[in-house]
Amino acid sequence: MNTRMPGEDEPYVVRTDQGGVATLTLNRAKQFNALSQAMIGALQEHLDAISADAAVRVVVIAGAGKAFCAGHDLKEMRANHDKAFMQDLFRRCGRMMMTLTQMPQPVIARVHGIATAAGCQLVSMCDLAVAVDSARFATSGINVGLFCATPGVGLSRNLGRKQALEMLLTGDFIDAQTALQQGLVNRVVASDALDVEVEQLARSIIAKSSVAIGMGKQMFYKQLEMGLEAAYQYASEVMACNMMTADAGEGIDAFIGKRAPVWSGR
């Protein structure tokens, strides 16, 4: 599916599917893949379609050109200097970001260049992230008088408070190794190893039960917002339900029988 907006020759987001992996490539290289209204809308359309597609086991978010994503389209925002426009823009962006965590498939950010402001938010809201060693990250809105409030939601749920606030208050870049140490990304590799690393991570997930992955991802994010006792009660119920699935029975039988499991997704 290639989503095109009126008057545009090229799709804002290009979807490619291979072996259970759907890759969504932000396709506005000259604009550093800025999250304009159209870009957000295209991403939302693809994510909604993928959420209901059982054939897709893993989603990869990538960027065309030199940048992964440079955040919101500042020119578009200045050309529409109206509070109602801003409220709608950030509401739509927030919904798209939430979809990344609510969809059953794990989402991997493939970060090959800079990820700034809402682009850094996009990385933080993906379930996993693999970055090249030359990638850089910043919540740079403060440099133009705009505190990155919405990126701060994702950032503060990945980094420690002081690390997140330092990025938000200074707008300074951090490098890939710092992003790895602080928890923004999972893995850092050389540029020529990026696709192999993303593929290996995706294949490791695809080899597992889709029903267990879907239940587990939903549980993980929900329990984070709970108190400790409530989290354990909820997690216990999820485990009990998971144990009743056909895949759990198959997996345990396969383990006991010393054979490879055959997942049914049920």
Side-chain angles (χ1 to χ4, degrees), residues 15-23 50 53-60 105-106 108 198-208 210:
R15 174 178 170 177
T16 55
D17 289 68
Q18 184 175 5
V21 179
T23 299
I50 290 170
D53 188 348
V56 177
R57 297 290 314 282
V58 174
V59 180
V60 174
Q105 300 93 340
I108 303 172
V198 171
E199 176 74 9
Q200 288 180 344
L201 186 55
R203 292 299 154 199
S204 179
I205 295 168
I206 289 172
K208 310 307 188 295
S210 62

Side-chain angles (χ1 to χ4, degrees), residues 75-86:
K75 291 182 179 179
E76 179 184 69
M77 292 167 70
R78 284 300 290 160
N80 297 275
H81 195 62
D82 176 80
K83 187 175 181 180
F85 175 89
M86 301 302 173

Side-chain angles (χ1 to χ4, degrees), residues 8-242:
E8 295 288 345
D9 294 329
E10 294 294 327
Y12 275 82
V13 176
V14 176
R15 174 178 170 177
T16 55
D17 289 68
Q18 184 175 5
V21 179
T23 299
L24 300 180
T25 302
L26 311 185
N27 194 38
R28 281 296 179 271
K30 290 182 180 179
Q31 290 77 38
F32 300 103
N33 302 315
L35 292 177
S36 62
Q37 272 197 327
M39 180 68 84
I40 293 168
L43 267 172
Q44 186 69 61
E45 182 179 339
H46 281 290
L47 294 173
D48 287 344
I50 290 170
S51 294
D53 188 348
V56 177
R57 297 290 314 282
V58 174
V59 180
V60 174
I61 305 290
K66 295 181 179 180
F68 173 72
C69 178
H72 286 292
D73 187 332
L74 296 180
K75 291 182 179 179
E76 179 184 69
M77 292 167 70
R78 284 300 290 160
N80 297 275
H81 195 62
D82 176 80
K83 187 175 181 180
F85 175 89
M86 301 302 173
Q87 289 173 325
D88 183 66
L89 173 69
F90 293 122
R91 180 184 63 80
R92 290 175 184 271
C93 188
R95 177 177 174 241
M96 183 272 291
M97 296 288 181
M98 285 296 297
T99 301
L100 295 169
T101 63
Q102 292 169 346
M103 64 195 306
Q105 300 93 340
V107 183
I108 303 172
R110 176 195 180 276
V111 189
H112 72 290
I114 63 165
T116 56
C120 189
Q121 177 187 5
L122 183 59
V123 176
S124 73
M125 293 300 290
C126 290
D127 302 305
L128 304 169
V130 180
V132 298
D133 50 16
S134 59
R136 297 193 300 157
F137 306 82
T139 47
S140 47
I142 199 68
N143 295 328
V144 296
L146 183 65
F147 187 84
C148 282
T150 46
V153 173
L155 203 66
S156 64
R157 285 162 168 75
N158 283 243
L159 281 63
R161 291 186 182 185
K162 286 183 170 58
Q163 288 82 7
L165 264 174
E166 181 174 345
M167 289 187 69
L168 292 163
L169 293 172
T170 68
D172 292 343
F173 277 96
I174 62 171
D175 60 23
Q177 284 296 333
T178 302
L180 177 65
Q181 293 165 6
Q182 295 186 356
L184 184 58
V185 303
N186 297 84
R187 303 179 184 183
V188 173
V189 296
S191 59
D192 59 359
L194 179 60
D195 287 328
V196 171
E197 195 72 20
V198 171
E199 176 74 9
Q200 288 180 344
L201 186 55
R203 292 299 154 199
S204 179
I205 295 168
I206 289 172
K208 310 307 188 295
S209 161
S210 62
V211 67
I213 291 290
M215 292 175 70
K217 175 177 171 176
Q218 181 184 51
M219 183 282 304
F220 179 80
Y221 287 112
K222 189 172 180 179
Q223 64 85 25
L224 284 175
E225 306 304 321
M226 296 178 173
L228 185 62
E229 184 175 356
Y232 266 113
Q233 290 176 351
Y234 171 57
S236 297
E237 179 64 18
V238 171
M239 285 209 74
C241 292
N242 195 166

